[in-house]
Each structure stands twice: as C-alpha cells, then as structure tokens.
Amino acid sequence: MKTKLTDQSLTPHRAMEYHKFSAKPCSSYLFFTLLLFFAFLASFADAAVHFHEFVIEAKPVKRLCRTHNTITVNGQFPGPTLEVRDGDTLVIKAINRGRYNVTLHWHGVRQLRNPWADGPEFVTQCPIRPGQTYTYQFTIQNQEGTLWWHAHSRWLRATVYGALIIHPKLGSPYPFPMPKREIPILLGEWWDRNPMDVLRLALFTGAAPNVSDALTINGQPGDLYRCSSKETAIFPVEAGETILLRIINSAMNQEMFYGVANHKLTVVAVDAAYTKPFATNVIMIAPGQTTDVLLTADQTPAHYYMAAHAYNSANAPFDNTTTTAILEYKSAPCSAKKGQSLKPIFPQLPGFNDTATATAFTSQLRSPSRAKVPLEIDDSLFFTVGLGLINCTNPNSPRCQGPNGTRFAASINNVSFVLPRRNSLMQAYYQGQPGIFTTDFPPFPPVQFDYSGNVPRGLWQPVKATKLFKLKYRSKVQIVFQDTSIVTVENHPMHLHGYQFYVVGSGFGNFDPKNDPAKFNLIDPPERNTVGTPPGGWVAIRFEADNPGIWLLHCHIDSHLPWGLATALLVENGVGKLQTVQPPPLDLPRC
Ligand code: C2O
C-alpha cells in the first residue's frame, strides 16, 4: 500500500475502560501512584490525536460504463471516513499528487481561532500546488454528530469528499437509545466527464455548467442507471433493530429529497446539532447539510430501496435522475428458492418542485431544549442573495453564452464576490498586506426593490469586488438572507465557515422588518451551519461572533460560488491570547 492511514484513537480508550484495581490497605502508596499514572494516560486517551495522510491523486474510477481519471483521496471515491470523538485532535497531512491546485475544508468544524485549518482556497490559505503538502491540524471542541470534509478549490469537491463523524466524549451517551449500527449515506453527483472541465467550459462561455449525469449514494448511482446495478450500495439490517443513518448532501448543485420505502425516518440531528426528534417519510437536504435519522427495521423482512432525487426550486435545468441503494433485511426470503421477485420496494418521493413538502420538513426542526440565542443584536444585516447577468459589449462573443448574450453572475447585496489571486484573504490580513480586499461590504442592498417580485432589468447586473464585512469580537449578529427573483428564485443553501448559527425565522416573499421579527423562534430554533433560503423568500439567522478570523459565507451550490454568491466575515480579535487568532503553521502554503 502506497498510502498510510494511522489512527491511534479508539483503541487506547477501550483498553482503559477495562482496567480494574483491587486496592489493599498496605499498598495504598502504590495504588495512588498507579491511579496517577492511569489518570495521566487517560488524559491522553480522552483526547486522542488522529494522524492521517490524505494523498490527493488521480485514480481510474468507472461509472456509467466509462472510466475516468478521477481525483481522489488515497485512491478512494468517496474518500475515507474520519471517525473521532469530541475533544480529539486531527492531524491530516494533505499530499497533492494530482495535477490541480487543491485545498481541503472540514465542513462545519468550528476551527476556533484557527482559520489556518479551515481550507477555502484564497480565503484562509493559498492552494497546495501539485507536488506540495500541507498539514491540517485542528481540535474538535464541543461538537458532536455528522460533518464532512471536501476539497475547497474550484470543482474538485465533486469527487474529493468524505464523512467526518464525531462521537460524543467517552462516557457521554447519545440523547437517544444507542443504535445497533451507524451508516454514513453520502449523496453526490457524478459527471460523465472531468468536473474540472465542466467548470472551465462554463467559466469560459459564461453559460451555466452542464448538469450532472447521475446522482449517487456513497459514490454509486444505483439500479436505475446504465452499467451500475452490480455495484449498488447495499446496507444489511437485522429485523427489529434500529440504525442511525448519517445522511450528508455532498452533491455539487442539487438539493435532494431522500426516503426509504415503507420506513419512517426519525430526525435526531442536523449539521452536527441535535434536534427534537420527529418522524417523517422524506427529508429534504441541501448541499452542505447533514441530517441524522433513526430507522427501525420494523417492516416485513424484504429488500427496500432508499432513493434520492432532486428538489429543484429554480426555473433552470437540473439532473432529474434518481439514485438508489438497498436496505436489505438479513432474514429476507431468498428469491432463488421461492421464485419470489427480489425487486426491492420503491419509496415515494415528492415531485421535483414540491416546495411545500420541503418547507414542511425544514419547519419542523427545533433545538432539543432552550437555546442560547442572542437576544440583543449588535449587527443587524440584510443580505439579498441571488443570480445576476453581466452584459457584454459583444453579445455574440463565445464568452457571452448566457441568457441573451450575457454572462451568468451571482451576488450578495449586489456585490459579486471575487477571490483574490495574489494572496489569501487571511494571510493578507495577518501580514497587514494592503490591496487584497476591502471591508466595506454593504450591510443592506444599495437600493431597495421588490426583491421577490418583478425586478427591473436595470437591477440585474451586480458589481464584482472583494469586499468583506467586519465584525467586532463577540458582536451579536443577525443576518436575514433574502432570495431575489433575478433570473430565477431558488433555494440557496447559505453556509458560514467557522460558525454554527440559529435559524430563527423564515418565510416567503419579502422580509418584513416590522412584523416578521415578532414571529421569530428565540426559544428552541435549530442550530446549523448551512441553511437554505426558501425560493423567493427569506431566512433569518443569529449567532455570536466569538471566533476571530476571516470566514467565508457562501452559497453551497457550486455553480453559484464561482459566479460570486459569497462574501467573507472578518471577525476581529478580542483581548488577550484566548480571543486572538493563533499564529499560522510554518508549512502554510504561500501564493
Ligand atoms: Cu462545505 Cu465553503 O464549504
């Protein structure tokens, strides 16, 4: 094996658990020495350090009858699952043996005072060039549940992604009965060509990138696609047992509905934050989000499909295929013997544009108990999010293949975010290098208009810039994201790096600053790191800016991000070392 995966995590604890002492009065000194010794060991065991090597390299991957030279981690697609406990430290040496610049992002990890490990290219670091390495080192602090990791450089995350599972600290239980097994379910998208070329072509022509050719579950399209059914993912279950599905939407551009035939799903967590449990037949999950559900195998022993297809909220082309995997009761009768059909039972999924079902699902999410929501707000921000079109002087140019001879763009408050090239934002900030960014991002749109209504053409063209919004340390922040109907309304899954936030309200149409805040849930709103705007509506979030550094805030639809649907929050240092960004690691790549 060329690559090395060393994991010194779970074994030491397990060993510790089984030590027993029998103390005799005459040996109390020895006893206490031993006790101290084991306490010393336990202090390490409780917070393990996991060392991994992630070799980013092209490997042949065959899907839909064709083999592609796919960028992978350690030759695996999807990439390796990381399993840790709260309090553990991860040390991941990224070795770039591919032909593209790359960075890795640990989606949802707070990275307190440690933006250097966050990963978005040209935001917190310069890219790792082919042949180079960078070691991401970070500690999980008071987080548990399902997160994931992915490349954060152009469209590499189409194939460079994996699950990051954080178990509770040793001895702390889940807030629900311990499931018999836990299964990561990674939803993805597959292109029957190099995804980097799909993006490159789109950025050249100015048109929308091609939609994917397949949706996938754990990297496999499933039974409804050509040349795929032999490798459909199968999950065996014992009749009667309850399992935990850790569902991750790692797709590039597609919100999805997901369900399992004949089985109820009990939602217990989203984005590594527990929820009040509730039962549902189907979940809606946006790119970037995770949803943990319990499933009890309480149906007739048989084979059942789990399936996912698009929730398409926009007026735009999308991948309308359906990915499947199989939940297989071990005691299911064998078809060969009885001549029974083995064809699994298919779940009912909502229609592609069923916004009512999507909304009914997300509106049930609640924190388990009273949440620490900021009540007094210091920074109240109103951000319009949506697409735009850049007019061309020569609309017939091959570079203006967007609608009516334009180029697609996207913006927040009419600023279409441009990544710097000469340095990363965080490095420029830390070194005091001027000319890389400005901090005059507008707290509200430059002009007011009927955001979700009929928007005059004159307001369709955003302005390109690298503007950040500055926040004082510990400022209490509210952001209302208002979707616009420019080009099309759409569910934009907004992701904030370095933070978890509370989703205090949402609605359709234009946000009403007079009446809507009164309806906010300030008691038990759900906590997330990625939240979607209802199409043609708004969503309000609150958080305390307790993590200094520069944190990307962007739409997790990867066709919108390069068009500029992003900004970054610059959270200033507080007072003293514990409120200050730590120094960068020595191997941080330079631009
Ligand atoms: Cu999951 Cu900026 O990313």
Side-chain angles (χ1 to χ4, degrees), residues 34 127 354 392 402 423 469 478 564:
L34 270 175
D354 191 345
C392 291
N423 205 351
F469 193 87
Q478 172 177 298

Side-chain angles (χ1 to χ4, degrees), residues 121-123 125-127 129 418-428 431 433-437 466 589-591:
E121 175 180 68
F122 294 114
V123 177
Q125 69 165 99
C126 300
R129 306 206 175 273
V418 180
L419 286 173
R421 295 261 112 196
R422 285 185 292 133
N423 205 351
S424 76
L425 298 172
M426 192 60 216
Q427 282 160 294
Q431 298 152 2
Q433 177 187 7
I436 301 292
F437 63 87
T466 309
R590 273 175 251 268
C591 288

Side-chain angles (χ1 to χ4, degrees), residues 367-385:
S367 278
S369 51
R370 207 186 171 92
K372 289 201 190 84
V373 191
L375 298 177
E376 309 288 323
I377 296 298
D378 303 307
D379 285 280
S380 184
L381 311 176
F382 183 73
F383 285 3
T384 55
V385 301

Side-chain angles (χ1 to χ4, degrees), residues 325-344:
I326 297 168
L327 186 73
E328 183 179 280
Y329 282 59
K330 289 185 189 161
S331 52
C334 175
S335 65
K337 275 183 262 165
K338 296 188 177 170
Q340 260 180 312
S341 165
L342 247 190
K343 250 212 164 308

Side-chain angles (χ1 to χ4, degrees), residues 11-27:
T11 14
H13 312 121
R14 299 262 157 83
M16 291 304 296
E17 281 181 67
Y18 294 104
H19 279 290
K20 287 207 179 104
F21 303 92
S22 54
K24 288 177 199 139
C26 62
S27 61

Side-chain angles (χ1 to χ4, degrees), residues 420-578:
R421 295 261 112 196
R422 285 185 292 133
N423 205 351
S424 76
L425 298 172
M426 192 60 216
Q427 282 160 294
Y429 170 53
Y430 199 84
Q431 298 152 2
Q433 177 187 7
I436 301 292
F437 63 87
T438 57
T439 54
D440 54 347
F441 188 88
F444 38 80
V447 286
Q448 282 185 25
F449 57 96
D450 178 5
Y451 310 111
S452 56
N454 206 341
V455 183
R457 281 278 165 162
L459 297 174
W460 283 35
Q461 183 162 246
V463 179
K464 291 188 183 180
T466 309
K467 293 180 190 289
L468 277 55
F469 193 87
K470 199 191 265 185
L471 291 167
K472 287 251 171 309
Y473 181 76
R474 282 211 176 281
S475 166
K476 296 182 175 62
V477 185
Q478 172 177 298
I479 306 178
V480 175
F481 296 106
Q482 170 73 57
D483 182 33
T484 75
S485 56
I486 296 172
V487 184
T488 175
V489 297
E490 187 158 2
N491 176 306
H492 293 285
M494 300 303 297
H495 171 48
L496 176 56
H497 285 226
Y499 283 89
Q500 291 274 110
F501 49 73
Y502 292 106
V503 183
V504 295
S506 68
F508 288 94
N510 298 338
F511 175 67
D512 174 356
K514 287 219 179 61
N515 297 307
D516 284 329
K519 295 176 228 154
F520 283 175
N521 175 5
L522 302 177
I523 310 290
D524 60 356
E527 198 183 332
R528 310 207 69 142
N529 61 51
T530 307
V531 70
T533 58
W538 55 272
V539 62
I541 66 167
R542 287 189 178 189
F543 60 95
E544 185 175 333
D546 60 356
N547 190 11
I550 292 177
W551 305 103
L552 191 60
L553 168 64
H554 66 97
C555 176
H556 216 285
I557 291 183
D558 256 22
S559 57
H560 298 174
L561 180 54
W563 288 345
L565 219 174
T567 182
L569 304 181
L570 189 164
V571 180
E572 293 178 313
N573 288 330
V575 186
K577 220 177 144 201
L578 291 176

Side-chain angles (χ1 to χ4, degrees), residues 101-105 119-121 125-128 136 150-153 156:
N101 288 345
V102 73
T103 65
L104 297 176
H105 168 53
E121 175 180 68
Q125 69 165 99
C126 300
I128 309 167
Y136 293 88
H150 60 80
H152 212 300
S153 175
L156 283 180

